[in-house]
Amino acid sequence: MNLTTLDDLTRRLDQPRGACALIAIKERVRCKTRLSESLPPSARIQLVRSMLAAVLSAAAGAQTVRQVIVVSPQRDSVPAEIPVLADTGECLNSALTQAHQVLRKFGCREVVILPADLPDITASEIDSLVRAGRSGGFAIAPDAAGEGTNALCLVSPHPFRFQFGAHSRRLHLEEAVRAGLSPQVVRLPGLEFDVDSPTDLNRLDDQRWLARRA
């Protein structure tokens, strides 16, 4: 599967100070199944790969990010120069916990958690999230509804209990307070917009976005 070994990751993390961006994504055929009535399997996988490419590009362009890392069971379309840590497949929170533990072991205190389905995300928005995290140890970017979590920034050497799922914004804020951090809430357009429903697809220029990102 050509995933990244811990020895290789150690060499990659031997860089100047900055945040590590963790981008978690499932096997591509298991992504966005809620869109199955709107898109055939091939188009759905194309969309998933295109959105991941957009997030990877934004993270690579962020001034506050020193290393981009993908957490996934497969490399698929991820460029060879980007590390891919193996995901055990148990659940998103478990995968992020394991990856966060590895990064803390290597001394990475600043970690940005990004989903792979933010098609409009920009490098400057990631920088804003990281700078907010640096000011209080924790920053969160909610989804458009204000209930979920679309991105996190942790600036702490300690473990963190990830709470992605229902009501994750509230749960993440509670976890941050429990950990002694001062939560900052960041609301920016590219961080708020994720693609989960047919209505979201309509915002992608009537799906012509698929062709533009191919």
Side-chain angles (χ1 to χ4, degrees):
M1 292 190 297
N2 196 24
L3 302 184
T4 304
T5 66
L6 293 184
D7 286 342
D8 185 43
L9 185 63
T10 302
R11 291 192 294 272
R12 290 172 182 266
L13 289 176
D14 186 19
Q15 300 178 36
R17 186 176 183 273
C20 292
L22 280 181
I23 302 169
I25 184 169
K26 298 182 288 189
E27 288 180 280
R28 309 313 181 258
V29 296
R30 296 177 53 218
C31 294
K32 300 303 172 187
T33 55
R34 282 182 285 182
L35 300 177
S36 58
E37 294 186 2
S38 301
L39 294 174
S42 60
R44 200 167 67 243
I45 291 175
Q46 179 191 353
L47 172 63
V48 168
R49 288 171 174 163
S50 298
M51 290 192 294
L52 173 61
V55 176
L56 291 174
S57 177
Q63 296 179 357
T64 56
V65 173
R66 64 162 161 156
Q67 178 67 63
V68 180
I69 300 170
V70 172
V71 182
S72 177
Q74 63 179 151
R75 176 170 288 277
D76 190 48
S77 60
V78 178
E81 66 271 16
I82 296 177
V84 179
L85 293 181
D87 174 3
T88 61
E90 295 178 11
C91 72
L92 173 61
N93 292 320
S94 295
L96 290 175
T97 296
Q98 292 173 9
H100 187 218
Q101 182 179 14
V102 169
L103 294 184
R104 287 188 292 106
K105 177 182 177 182
F106 293 143
C108 186
R109 291 184 66 250
E110 299 183 344
V111 178
V112 186
I113 310 296
L114 299 170
D117 63 346
L118 301 178
D120 293 340
I121 191 173
T122 67
S124 63
E125 289 177 329
I126 295 174
D127 286 333
S128 295
L129 181 71
V130 173
R131 292 178 181 125
R134 288 172 177 170
S135 70
F138 177 84
I140 183 171
D143 61 8
E147 296 289 331
T149 302
N150 273 6
L152 292 176
C153 178
L154 291 168
V155 183
S156 171
H158 305 298
F160 187 87
R161 290 184 298 191
F162 297 104
Q163 307 278 352
F164 286 95
H167 310 296
S168 63
R169 174 185 175 171
R170 174 178 58 81
L171 295 173
H172 278 137
L173 289 173
E174 291 174 354
E175 173 64 12
V177 172
R178 183 202 64 80
L181 307 175
S182 299
Q184 310 293 311
V185 178
V186 176
R187 305 213 64 152
L188 293 167
L191 291 174
E192 286 186 341
F193 176 48
D194 54 355
V195 178
D196 285 321
S197 69
T199 301
D200 297 329
L201 281 178
N202 292 333
R203 290 187 57 183
L204 294 179
D205 194 17
D206 294 327
Q207 300 182 29
R208 286 192 294 274
W209 188 88
L210 297 178
R212 294 204 305 272
R213 288 289 187 179

